[in-house]
Amino acid sequence: MKLAILGGPGAGKGTQAKILCGYLEIPCVDMGQILRRAIASGTELGRQAEPYVEKGELVPDEILIQFVRDRLLEPDVSNGWLLDGYPRTAFQAEELDFLLEDLGQKLRWAIYLNVSDDVLMTRSLKRSRADDTPQIIRRRIEVFHQRTVPILEYYEPRGHLLDINGDHPPEQVSQDILDVLVRQ
Ligand code: AMP
């Protein structure tokens, strides 16, 4: 199964990704974590991404796509994967489809965790990452509306969008998702 999980900062993407990957026995590809690791270890990609991550801005597409390609060519992801944090713009969604076509793969579901802005803010503030200050979180929510929400219009008509109420407790959210995935 090939999946992507979408949602604002604090929507529960990481939590759901972990549950779903465990249940479906597929690897999670967490873009934010990959970027933070690259920044911490001072790689070339990390150095290029750092100024954007620091401000809560999106890292330019051309920096990310090469990384996604390399990751999806690794042997552990040949039977399926869940992308967490990619795509994040309509352009990335399109670019991902081109990449997958090239690799002879297909995305089944883009799972959208639909959560109100108030809940996004409250949940994000409870985390204690360096890039989770109120100002940065507000900016990330704004960026989410401007850049990520248009992705829904890309996936919906293609029959790939799974719109899930993410305000519910985590167990119920994963059950709602699995009900659809398993029914297929
Ligand atoms: P996350 O942990 O997924 O919230 O990501 C943390 C930060 O990494 C974001 O605020 C962005 O700066 C950057 N980032 C993660 N995924 C992407 C993406 N698909 N496109 C651009 N920037 C990204």
Side-chain angles (χ1 to χ4, degrees):
M1 179 100 53
K2 278 123 188 161
L3 305 167
I5 195 153
L6 318 171
K13 297 191 297 287
T15 306
Q16 291 306 320
K18 222 164 149 185
I19 299 173
L20 295 172
C21 287
Y23 186 87
L24 299 167
E25 297 181 348
I26 51 174
C28 280
V29 176
D30 177 345
M31 218 53 221
Q33 187 189 64
I34 286 162
L35 287 169
R36 272 186 218 97
R37 279 193 186 149
I39 292 169
S41 49
T43 63
E44 180 54 30
L45 171 75
R47 271 198 297 275
Q48 290 176 26
E50 190 168 14
Y52 300 94
V53 175
E54 257 178 4
K55 294 192 208 89
E57 301 290 340
L58 292 181
V59 177
D61 297 324
E62 60 277 12
I63 300 179
L64 288 185
I65 190 67
Q66 188 52 43
F67 186 86
V68 178
R69 167 179 273 277
D70 290 350
R71 182 67 187 94
L72 293 185
L73 283 170
E74 284 176 35
D76 65 311
V77 290
S78 57
N79 286 327
W81 36 257
L82 185 151
L83 292 178
D84 173 2
Y86 195 92
R88 226 156 165 140
T89 63
F91 181 80
Q92 289 180 5
E94 218 173 336
E95 209 172 35
L96 176 64
D97 274 350
F98 287 133
L99 170 63
L100 294 178
E101 204 179 305
D102 211 29
L103 301 179
Q105 302 189 20
K106 227 175 162 77
L107 179 78
R108 180 58 196 98
W109 290 113
I111 302 163
Y112 173 48
L113 301 179
N114 200 336
V115 172
S116 68
D117 284 3
D118 286 349
V119 175
L120 291 182
M121 192 66 182
T122 319
R123 287 194 194 155
S124 292
L125 284 171
K126 282 197 195 131
R127 305 194 294 207
S128 54
R129 282 186 340 211
D131 57 336
D132 278 341
T133 64
Q135 196 189 359
I136 294 173
I137 295 166
R138 252 191 301 277
R139 178 62 192 146
R140 290 166 85 212
I141 293 175
E142 209 174 274
V143 170
F144 165 69
H145 283 288
Q146 286 167 356
R147 309 290 306 279
T148 306
V149 169
I151 292 187
L152 309 181
E153 283 170 30
Y154 178 81
Y155 285 126
E156 220 273 321
R158 288 170 172 80
H160 293 314
L161 183 68
L162 189 55
D163 191 334
I164 293 286
N165 184 340
D167 281 339
H168 293 148
E171 309 75 43
Q172 190 184 335
V173 174
S174 39
Q175 196 50 58
D176 290 346
I177 298 170
L178 286 168
D179 279 350
V180 179
L181 300 192
V182 173
R183 228 191 296 135
Q184 292 296 304

